[in-house]
Amino acid sequence: MAKYSSLLFFFFLLLNCLQNIHASPEYSRPHPRPVILTGHNRPESEPEQVHISLVGKDHMRVTWITSDKHAKSIVEYGTSPGKYHSSSVTGERTSYRYFFYSSGEIHHVTIGPLEPNTTYYYRCGGSGPEFSFKTPPSTFPIEFAVAGDLGQTEWTASTLQHIGAKDYDLLLLPGDLSYADTQQPLWDSFGRLVEPYASKRPWMVTQGNHEIEIFPIIYPHGFKAYNSRWLMPYQESSSTSNLYYSFNVAGCHVVMLGSYTDFDADSYQYTWLQADLAKVDRVKTPWIFALIHAPWYNSNAAHKGEGESMRRSMEEVLYKARVDAVFSGHVHAYERFTRVYNNKADPCGPIYVTIGDGGNREGLAMMFEKPSPSISVFREASFGHGRLKVYNKTHAHWSWHRNNDNNSVMADELWLQSFASSKSCFPETSQQESTTQKDEL
């Protein structure tokens, strides 16, 4: 019995150690929480699952769903509550079937031109509640909220509350939205859960593995629900696929890449990426950020090496273009690397950040490699979100906020200097001497 008790004690001691790898001593690792199923609590004729996304320089796409097949695809909007004047736009609609599931009518309406940094009030379909959003600024500063692998658990709700508690201009989501995984009603539930946030600030998303939803022969190409529900401005950036695109906002060029579509050197995505980055004027647009789902750098046992083939294909393109930072999801933990290229620290490589810790139902990825690789600066398996505030053409501040239940604790931060202002890495567009700070890369 004594021997059995000793072994049991050792087992629980080992389990406790694994759960607290790389966590702050005072922090207790959170447990997974239940999935939230959000029901339709409005009349069937009214819009639901409202979310917005950027389209071009001064337009916004408004997307919503109705059960009523005859509802109008129209958005009325103005700068005062309830006063839409003559500002109304008619858009398009779509729907899809997935086995025995039939979606509602999915409406996409692009409105504008809109003034920057301005609050607009709008109504979808000519009835139902009034919503409002604020357009991003046209100049610095601008703040991005970044959260990957959201799902729809109680941790998701907590993360969203923390994001919404402090103002920001738009949200970037590097894949894995609803975790529907072919259970189509979960897409509807997710849309309702995020509506209070996604209807107020633009959400710019890219796909993850949980969006694929391939079924052999019947649905061989995948992404049926994702492409129908989360239409992004791919055509405006000359992309041929909703799975990868780019957009400009307030001096930043953001590239959303597809980890689950072709990316080899002879692929459309690769050719598009080269052309897209070549068009960026670093004087007018000094910052470039990229988002992918499967990380290219990862010291966690979870999904180890899954982004390697894409890294080998595309990393050099991002490196030569002097992309400032790359954000990924997939691994349910937070990890920040130093500036890296080809698996080595490189002062002219991007900062790589894994932020797949939004609140998914699968729990945290707690098994980090030991010892930590020299290029990995900070890592922790906790739920949370990030904030990227670009102050001007030379400096930005990145912070990671641990989701400690009711509190949002900033656990990691970094000052970045843009490559566009660095003579050593980008001499042809440098405007000033590169400066070095203790907490700056």
Side-chain angles (χ1 to χ4, degrees):
M1 179 65 70
K3 181 178 180 181
Y4 175 80
S5 298
S6 297
L7 288 173
L8 192 62
F9 173 80
F10 176 78
F11 171 77
F12 281 111
L13 180 65
L14 177 62
L15 181 62
N16 183 68
C17 290
L18 289 174
Q19 289 179 331
N20 287 279
I21 290 173
H22 299 281
S24 300
E26 72 280 4
Y27 182 61
S28 298
R29 183 75 56 226
H31 296 289
R33 287 183 174 176
V35 171
I36 297 173
L37 298 177
T38 309
H40 189 356
N41 58 8
R42 296 181 190 142
E44 291 295 316
S45 60
E46 291 191 1
E48 62 158 347
Q49 306 179 49
V50 180
H51 64 266
I52 61 173
S53 54
L54 299 178
V55 182
K57 179 183 177 181
D58 53 8
H59 286 69
M60 195 80 73
R61 177 179 287 113
V62 182
T63 298
W64 73 95
I65 295 179
T66 59
S67 300
D68 184 356
K69 303 293 184 182
H70 304 289
K72 297 178 181 178
S73 301
I74 187 172
V75 171
E76 302 164 286
Y77 65 100
T79 55
S80 299
K83 298 180 180 179
Y84 311 125
H85 305 297
S86 59
S87 296
S88 65
V89 179
T90 300
E92 59 186 23
R93 67 175 67 194
T94 187
S95 62
Y96 71 94
R97 292 183 60 86
Y98 195 90
F99 289 101
F100 300 109
Y101 172 88
S102 295
S103 75
E105 293 295 299
I106 305 171
H107 306 262
H108 300 291
V109 179
T110 300
I111 62 175
L114 306 172
E115 293 296 319
N117 205 27
T118 301
T119 298
Y120 286 87
Y121 300 86
Y122 66 103
R123 187 172 63 178
C124 304
S127 65
E130 179 180 74
F131 298 90
S132 67
F133 65 77
K134 191 185 78 170
T135 54
S138 59
T139 58
F140 301 120
I142 183 170
E143 184 165 358
F144 302 88
V146 188
D149 298 68
L150 274 180
Q152 45 191 309
T153 70
E154 291 179 0
W155 278 118
T156 309
S158 181
T159 297
L160 291 172
Q161 289 171 3
H162 292 162
I163 291 173
K166 181 183 175 183
D167 196 18
Y168 61 98
D169 296 299
L170 65 155
L171 183 138
L172 304 176
L173 203 169
D176 282 0
L177 284 69
S178 70
Y179 282 74
D181 293 319
T182 73
Q183 300 177 61
Q184 298 305 303
L186 287 179
W187 275 109
D188 296 310
S189 177
F190 176 78
R192 298 178 193 120
L193 176 66
V194 304
E195 182 190 80
Y197 308 93
S199 62
K200 293 181 179 178
R201 295 292 183 272
W203 277 35
M204 310 304 290
V205 308
T206 188
Q207 94 283 176
N209 55 300
H210 288 276
E211 276 73 69
I212 299 175
E213 298 185 316
I214 282 177
F215 194 90
I217 301 176
I218 302 175
Y219 301 111
H221 304 296
F223 305 106
K224 196 174 186 68
Y226 173 78
N227 285 334
S228 298
R229 296 170 181 267
W230 290 86
L231 181 62
M232 293 290 114
Y234 71 94
Q235 293 174 320
E236 287 76 10
S237 60
S238 301
S239 168
T240 58
S241 171
N242 192 50
L243 303 180
Y244 53 89
Y245 63 97
S246 68
F247 63 94
N248 289 327
V249 58
C252 302
H253 185 71
V254 183
V255 181
M256 310 292 278
L257 297 176
S259 294
Y260 301 98
T261 186
D262 292 341
F263 46 70
D264 294 335
D266 58 350
S267 68
Y268 286 117
Q269 181 175 199
Y270 185 95
T271 302
W272 168 83
L273 177 62
Q274 283 190 314
D276 180 79
L277 292 174
K279 291 185 289 188
V280 180
D281 183 344
R282 296 303 283 271
V283 174
K284 296 179 180 179
T285 313
W287 293 91
I288 301 180
F289 305 111
L291 278 80
I292 54 178
H293 185 64
W296 295 353
Y297 291 97
N298 170 29
S299 71
N300 199 297
H303 305 299
K304 184 68 175 176
E306 290 184 18
E308 180 63 10
S309 57
M310 190 178 187
R311 182 194 70 81
R312 290 180 179 178
S313 175
M314 289 187 158
E315 184 182 25
E316 186 177 8
V317 180
L318 270 59
Y319 179 75
K320 287 183 175 179
R322 295 296 184 257
V323 170
D324 294 284
V326 179
F327 301 96
S328 62
H330 204 35
V331 177
H332 301 162
Y334 172 74
E335 184 166 20
R336 174 171 62 85
F337 292 84
T338 188
R339 294 200 178 279
V340 181
Y341 175 62
N342 197 23
N343 288 296
K344 297 179 182 178
D346 189 311
C348 297
I351 295 288
Y352 283 85
V353 176
T354 300
I355 189 155
D357 56 348
N360 62 87
R361 68 175 182 232
E362 296 174 341
L364 294 166
M366 297 186 291
M367 299 295 291
F368 284 106
E369 296 175 5
K370 295 184 68 176
S372 175
S374 60
I375 57 174
S376 179
V377 179
F378 186 99
R379 56 188 191 171
E380 183 174 302
S382 299
F383 295 114
H385 76 280
R387 289 182 178 267
L388 177 65
K389 187 165 186 178
V390 184
Y391 282 91
N392 50 44
K393 64 183 180 181
T394 61
H395 286 84
H397 182 258
W398 166 257
S399 58
W400 174 63
H401 300 255
R402 181 194 297 132
N403 187 343
N404 193 357
D405 206 357
N406 293 326
N407 303 315
S408 179
V409 180
M410 186 174 71
D412 183 40
E413 63 176 326
L414 173 74
W415 281 96
L416 292 86
Q417 181 185 347
S418 67
F419 281 135
S421 64
S422 169
K423 280 189 175 181
S424 58
C425 293
F426 217 140
E428 57 268 30
T429 60
S430 177
Q431 303 293 311
Q432 60 186 38
E433 290 291 336
S434 173
T435 58
T436 304
Q437 299 180 13
K438 183 178 180 181
D439 57 347
E440 176 180 290
L441 284 173

